[in-house]
PDB file of all heavy atoms in Angstrom:
ATOM      1  N   GLU A 177     132.244 125.960  50.941  1.00 80.00           N
ATOM      2  CA  GLU A 177     132.645 124.975  51.986  1.00 80.00           C
ATOM      3  C   GLU A 177     132.231 123.675  51.735  1.00 80.00           C
ATOM      4  O   GLU A 177     133.037 122.696  52.020  1.00 80.00           O
ATOM      5  CB  GLU A 177     132.127 125.635  53.340  1.00 80.00           C
ATOM      6  CG  GLU A 177     132.502 124.721  54.511  1.00 80.00           C
ATOM      7  CD  GLU A 177     131.935 125.262  55.806  1.00 80.00           C
ATOM      8  OE1 GLU A 177     131.645 126.486  55.979  1.00 80.00           O
ATOM      9  OE2 GLU A 177     131.706 124.529  56.626  1.00 80.00           O
ATOM     10  N   SER A 178     130.936 123.559  51.368  1.00 83.00           N
ATOM     11  CA  SER A 178     130.339 122.159  51.220  1.00 83.00           C
ATOM     12  C   SER A 178     130.871 121.419  50.061  1.00 83.00           C
ATOM     13  O   SER A 178     131.228 120.190  50.061  1.00 83.00           O
ATOM     14  CB  SER A 178     128.847 122.233  50.956  1.00 83.00           C
ATOM     15  OG  SER A 178     128.475 122.833  49.673  1.00 83.00           O
ATOM     16  N   GLN A 179     131.338 122.225  48.994  1.00 81.00           N
ATOM     17  CA  GLN A 179     132.050 121.565  47.930  1.00 81.00           C
ATOM     18  C   GLN A 179     133.495 121.152  48.190  1.00 81.00           C
ATOM     19  O   GLN A 179     133.988 120.197  47.749  1.00 81.00           O
ATOM     20  CB  GLN A 179     132.062 122.467  46.640  1.00 81.00           C
ATOM     21  CG  GLN A 179     130.631 122.877  46.015  1.00 81.00           C
ATOM     22  CD  GLN A 179     129.928 121.708  45.531  1.00 81.00           C
ATOM     23  OE1 GLN A 179     130.287 121.051  44.587  1.00 81.00           O
ATOM     24  NE2 GLN A 179     128.848 121.306  46.168  1.00 81.00           N
ATOM     25  N   MET A 180     134.031 121.995  48.930  1.00 79.00           N
ATOM     26  CA  MET A 180     135.450 121.532  49.433  1.00 79.00           C
ATOM     27  C   MET A 180     135.496 120.256  50.250  1.00 79.00           C
ATOM     28  O   MET A 180     136.361 119.481  50.040  1.00 79.00           O
ATOM     29  CB  MET A 180     136.106 122.768  50.196  1.00 79.00           C
ATOM     30  CG  MET A 180     136.294 124.057  49.567  1.00 79.00           C
ATOM     31  SD  MET A 180     137.627 124.045  48.422  1.00 79.00           S
ATOM     32  CE  MET A 180     139.040 124.165  49.473  1.00 79.00           C
ATOM     33  N   LYS A 181     134.551 120.166  51.050  1.00 77.00           N
ATOM     34  CA  LYS A 181     134.338 118.924  51.963  1.00 77.00           C
ATOM     35  C   LYS A 181     134.076 117.751  51.025  1.00 77.00           C
ATOM     36  O   LYS A 181     134.500 116.536  51.299  1.00 77.00           O
ATOM     37  CB  LYS A 181     133.159 119.148  52.979  1.00 77.00           C
ATOM     38  CG  LYS A 181     133.448 119.979  54.111  1.00 77.00           C
ATOM     39  CD  LYS A 181     132.413 119.959  55.106  1.00 77.00           C
ATOM     40  CE  LYS A 181     132.739 120.841  56.385  1.00 77.00           C
ATOM     41  NZ  LYS A 181     131.598 120.884  57.302  1.00 77.00           N
ATOM     42  N   MET A 182     133.365 117.905  49.853  1.00 76.00           N
ATOM     43  CA  MET A 182     133.085 116.824  48.920  1.00 76.00           C
ATOM     44  C   MET A 182     134.229 116.659  48.020  1.00 76.00           C
ATOM     45  O   MET A 182     134.061 115.690  47.037  1.00 76.00           O
ATOM     46  CB  MET A 182     131.802 117.174  48.218  1.00 76.00           C
ATOM     47  CG  MET A 182     130.610 117.280  49.165  1.00 76.00           C
ATOM     48  SD  MET A 182     129.056 117.806  48.254  1.00 76.00           S
ATOM     49  CE  MET A 182     128.839 116.505  47.047  1.00 76.00           C
ATOM     50  N   GLY A 183     135.310 117.244  48.151  1.00 74.00           N
ATOM     51  CA  GLY A 183     136.539 117.150  47.311  1.00 74.00           C
ATOM     52  C   GLY A 183     136.548 117.856  46.010  1.00 74.00           C
ATOM     53  O   GLY A 183     137.415 117.686  45.150  1.00 74.00           O
ATOM     54  N   ASN A 184     135.571 118.788  45.779  1.00 70.00           N
ATOM     55  CA  ASN A 184     135.556 119.605  44.558  1.00 70.00           C
ATOM     56  C   ASN A 184     136.425 120.863  45.051  1.00 70.00           C
ATOM     57  O   ASN A 184     135.844 121.740  45.664  1.00 70.00           O
ATOM     58  CB  ASN A 184     134.167 119.906  44.229  1.00 70.00           C
ATOM     59  CG  ASN A 184     134.170 120.828  42.894  1.00 70.00           C
ATOM     60  OD1 ASN A 184     135.121 121.089  42.260  1.00 70.00           O
ATOM     61  ND2 ASN A 184     132.992 121.232  42.695  1.00 70.00           N
ATOM     62  N   PHE A 185     137.625 120.967  44.677  1.00 59.00           N
ATOM     63  CA  PHE A 185     138.547 122.119  44.965  1.00 59.00           C
ATOM     64  C   PHE A 185     138.309 123.318  43.945  1.00 59.00           C
ATOM     65  O   PHE A 185     139.071 124.330  44.078  1.00 59.00           O
ATOM     66  CB  PHE A 185     139.962 121.720  45.009  1.00 59.00           C
ATOM     67  CG  PHE A 185     140.092 120.638  46.261  1.00 59.00           C
ATOM     68  CD1 PHE A 185     140.217 119.413  45.987  1.00 59.00           C
ATOM     69  CD2 PHE A 185     140.184 121.127  47.545  1.00 59.00           C
ATOM     70  CE1 PHE A 185     140.347 118.348  47.031  1.00 59.00           C
ATOM     71  CE2 PHE A 185     140.301 120.278  48.593  1.00 59.00           C
ATOM     72  CZ  PHE A 185     140.460 118.861  48.270  1.00 59.00           C
ATOM     73  N   ALA A 186     137.409 123.192  43.052  1.00 53.00           N
ATOM     74  CA  ALA A 186     137.265 124.365  42.060  1.00 53.00           C
ATOM     75  C   ALA A 186     135.673 124.474  41.970  1.00 53.00           C
ATOM     76  O   ALA A 186     135.162 124.228  40.938  1.00 53.00           O
ATOM     77  CB  ALA A 186     137.858 124.056  40.782  1.00 53.00           C
ATOM     78  N   PRO A 187     135.013 124.756  43.094  1.00 57.00           N
ATOM     79  CA  PRO A 187     133.580 124.695  43.116  1.00 57.00           C
ATOM     80  C   PRO A 187     132.972 125.927  42.304  1.00 57.00           C
ATOM     81  O   PRO A 187     133.623 126.992  42.206  1.00 57.00           O
ATOM     82  CB  PRO A 187     133.146 124.921  44.566  1.00 57.00           C
ATOM     83  CG  PRO A 187     134.401 125.558  45.240  1.00 57.00           C
ATOM     84  CD  PRO A 187     135.506 125.112  44.449  1.00 57.00           C
ATOM     85  N   ASP A 188     131.828 125.705  41.793  1.00 64.00           N
ATOM     86  CA  ASP A 188     130.989 126.852  41.226  1.00 64.00           C
ATOM     87  C   ASP A 188     130.667 127.926  42.422  1.00 64.00           C
ATOM     88  O   ASP A 188     130.454 127.447  43.616  1.00 64.00           O
ATOM     89  CB  ASP A 188     129.807 126.345  40.428  1.00 64.00           C
ATOM     90  CG  ASP A 188     130.157 125.471  39.387  1.00 64.00           C
ATOM     91  OD1 ASP A 188     131.232 125.687  38.788  1.00 64.00           O
ATOM     92  OD2 ASP A 188     129.357 124.570  39.072  1.00 64.00           O
ATOM     93  N   THR A 189     130.512 129.065  42.012  1.00 72.00           N
ATOM     94  CA  THR A 189     130.142 130.133  42.989  1.00 72.00           C
ATOM     95  C   THR A 189     128.731 130.415  42.909  1.00 72.00           C
ATOM     96  O   THR A 189     128.150 130.198  41.800  1.00 72.00           O
ATOM     97  CB  THR A 189     130.965 131.321  42.841  1.00 72.00           C
ATOM     98  OG1 THR A 189     130.848 131.845  41.458  1.00 72.00           O
ATOM     99  CG2 THR A 189     132.457 131.095  43.060  1.00 72.00           C
ATOM    100  N   VAL A 190     128.154 130.844  44.019  1.00 80.00           N
ATOM    101  CA  VAL A 190     126.827 131.337  44.066  1.00 80.00           C
ATOM    102  C   VAL A 190     126.873 132.881  44.299  1.00 80.00           C
ATOM    103  O   VAL A 190     127.377 133.333  45.321  1.00 80.00           O
ATOM    104  CB  VAL A 190     125.973 130.762  45.132  1.00 80.00           C
ATOM    105  CG1 VAL A 190     124.580 131.362  45.179  1.00 80.00           C
ATOM    106  CG2 VAL A 190     125.941 129.223  44.967  1.00 80.00           C
ATOM    107  N   SER A 191     126.448 133.764  43.250  1.00 83.00           N
ATOM    108  CA  SER A 191     126.646 135.126  43.353  1.00 83.00           C
ATOM    109  C   SER A 191     125.284 135.857  43.719  1.00 83.00           C
ATOM    110  O   SER A 191     124.304 135.264  43.716  1.00 83.00           O
ATOM    111  CB  SER A 191     127.072 135.711  42.007  1.00 83.00           C
ATOM    112  OG  SER A 191     126.131 135.557  40.932  1.00 83.00           O
ATOM    113  N   VAL A 192     125.382 137.024  44.010  1.00 87.00           N
ATOM    114  CA  VAL A 192     124.205 137.917  44.371  1.00 87.00           C
ATOM    115  C   VAL A 192     123.463 138.059  43.220  1.00 87.00           C
ATOM    116  O   VAL A 192     122.248 138.074  43.327  1.00 87.00           O
ATOM    117  CB  VAL A 192     124.680 139.155  45.028  1.00 87.00           C
ATOM    118  CG1 VAL A 192     123.427 140.158  45.205  1.00 87.00           C
ATOM    119  CG2 VAL A 192     125.440 139.040  46.355  1.00 87.00           C
ATOM    120  N   SER A 193     123.881 138.141  42.104  1.00 88.00           N
ATOM    121  CA  SER A 193     123.397 138.332  40.777  1.00 88.00           C
ATOM    122  C   SER A 193     122.436 137.080  40.591  1.00 88.00           C
ATOM    123  O   SER A 193     121.242 137.151  40.123  1.00 88.00           O
ATOM    124  CB  SER A 193     124.292 138.365  39.695  1.00 88.00           C
ATOM    125  OG  SER A 193     125.081 139.548  39.842  1.00 88.00           O
ATOM    126  N   ASP A 194     122.857 135.855  40.960  1.00 89.00           N
ATOM    127  CA  ASP A 194     122.127 134.693  40.760  1.00 89.00           C
ATOM    128  C   ASP A 194     120.800 134.748  41.647  1.00 89.00           C
ATOM    129  O   ASP A 194     119.688 134.353  41.317  1.00 89.00           O
ATOM    130  CB  ASP A 194     122.852 133.469  41.190  1.00 89.00           C
ATOM    131  CG  ASP A 194     123.974 133.235  40.208  1.00 89.00           C
ATOM    132  OD1 ASP A 194     123.921 133.561  39.092  1.00 89.00           O
ATOM    133  OD2 ASP A 194     125.097 132.647  40.607  1.00 89.00           O
ATOM    134  N   LEU A 195     120.982 135.341  42.818  1.00 91.00           N
ATOM    135  CA  LEU A 195     119.835 135.491  43.730  1.00 91.00           C
ATOM    136  C   LEU A 195     118.969 136.445  43.332  1.00 91.00           C
ATOM    137  O   LEU A 195     117.648 136.329  43.385  1.00 91.00           O
ATOM    138  CB  LEU A 195     120.300 135.739  45.144  1.00 91.00           C
ATOM    139  CG  LEU A 195     120.469 134.575  46.088  1.00 91.00           C
ATOM    140  CD1 LEU A 195     121.581 133.530  45.494  1.00 91.00           C
ATOM    141  CD2 LEU A 195     121.067 134.903  47.519  1.00 91.00           C
ATOM    142  N   PHE A 196     119.443 137.508  42.702  1.00 90.00           N
ATOM    143  CA  PHE A 196     118.519 138.654  42.283  1.00 90.00           C
ATOM    144  C   PHE A 196     117.605 138.082  41.126  1.00 90.00           C
ATOM    145  O   PHE A 196     116.400 138.210  41.073  1.00 90.00           O
ATOM    146  CB  PHE A 196     119.282 139.722  41.774  1.00 90.00           C
ATOM    147  CG  PHE A 196     119.754 140.879  42.810  1.00 90.00           C
ATOM    148  CD1 PHE A 196     119.438 140.452  44.205  1.00 90.00           C
ATOM    149  CD2 PHE A 196     120.375 141.926  42.518  1.00 90.00           C
ATOM    150  CE1 PHE A 196     119.869 141.369  45.177  1.00 90.00           C
ATOM    151  CE2 PHE A 196     120.699 142.852  43.442  1.00 90.00           C
ATOM    152  CZ  PHE A 196     120.546 142.564  44.791  1.00 90.00           C
ATOM    153  N   ALA A 197     118.298 137.459  40.220  1.00 90.00           N
ATOM    154  CA  ALA A 197     117.445 136.709  39.115  1.00 90.00           C
ATOM    155  C   ALA A 197     116.472 135.693  39.559  1.00 90.00           C
ATOM    156  O   ALA A 197     115.478 135.699  39.006  1.00 90.00           O
ATOM    157  CB  ALA A 197     118.506 136.116  38.082  1.00 90.00           C
ATOM    158  N   GLY A 198     116.911 134.929  40.639  1.00 92.00           N
ATOM    159  CA  GLY A 198     116.053 133.759  41.116  1.00 92.00           C
ATOM    160  C   GLY A 198     114.855 134.396  41.841  1.00 92.00           C
ATOM    161  O   GLY A 198     113.905 133.813  41.965  1.00 92.00           O
ATOM    162  N   ALA A 199     115.003 135.685  42.394  1.00 92.00           N
ATOM    163  CA  ALA A 199     113.955 136.261  43.282  1.00 92.00           C
ATOM    164  C   ALA A 199     112.929 136.835  42.392  1.00 92.00           C
ATOM    165  O   ALA A 199     111.813 137.282  42.915  1.00 92.00           O
ATOM    166  CB  ALA A 199     114.509 137.095  44.229  1.00 92.00           C
ATOM    167  N   VAL A 200     113.198 137.193  41.124  1.00 92.00           N
ATOM    168  CA  VAL A 200     112.266 138.015  40.430  1.00 92.00           C
ATOM    169  C   VAL A 200     110.837 137.244  40.200  1.00 92.00           C
ATOM    170  O   VAL A 200     109.789 137.965  40.522  1.00 92.00           O
ATOM    171  CB  VAL A 200     112.808 138.300  38.982  1.00 92.00           C
ATOM    172  CG1 VAL A 200     111.696 138.919  38.092  1.00 92.00           C
ATOM    173  CG2 VAL A 200     114.019 139.194  39.099  1.00 92.00           C
ATOM    174  N   VAL A 201     110.830 136.040  39.768  1.00 94.00           N
ATOM    175  CA  VAL A 201     109.596 135.438  39.473  1.00 94.00           C
ATOM    176  C   VAL A 201     108.772 135.192  40.816  1.00 94.00           C
ATOM    177  O   VAL A 201     107.634 135.488  40.960  1.00 94.00           O
ATOM    178  CB  VAL A 201     109.733 134.193  38.756  1.00 94.00           C
ATOM    179  CG1 VAL A 201     108.322 133.463  38.628  1.00 94.00           C
ATOM    180  CG2 VAL A 201     110.248 134.456  37.369  1.00 94.00           C
ATOM    181  N   PRO A 202     109.410 134.586  41.804  1.00 95.00           N
ATOM    182  CA  PRO A 202     108.718 134.417  43.129  1.00 95.00           C
ATOM    183  C   PRO A 202     108.313 135.780  43.764  1.00 95.00           C
ATOM    184  O   PRO A 202     107.120 135.797  44.330  1.00 95.00           O
ATOM    185  CB  PRO A 202     109.720 133.697  44.007  1.00 95.00           C
ATOM    186  CG  PRO A 202     110.739 133.122  43.139  1.00 95.00           C
ATOM    187  CD  PRO A 202     110.733 134.011  41.848  1.00 95.00           C
TER     188      PRO A 202
END
Side-chain angles (χ1 to χ4, degrees):
E177 177 185 334
S178 67
Q179 294 299 296
M180 295 284 281
K181 286 184 177 179
M182 296 169 64
N184 182 7
F185 294 100
D188 296 330
T189 59
V190 178
S191 67
V192 175
S193 301
D194 295 331
L195 267 58
F196 279 6
V200 170
V201 174

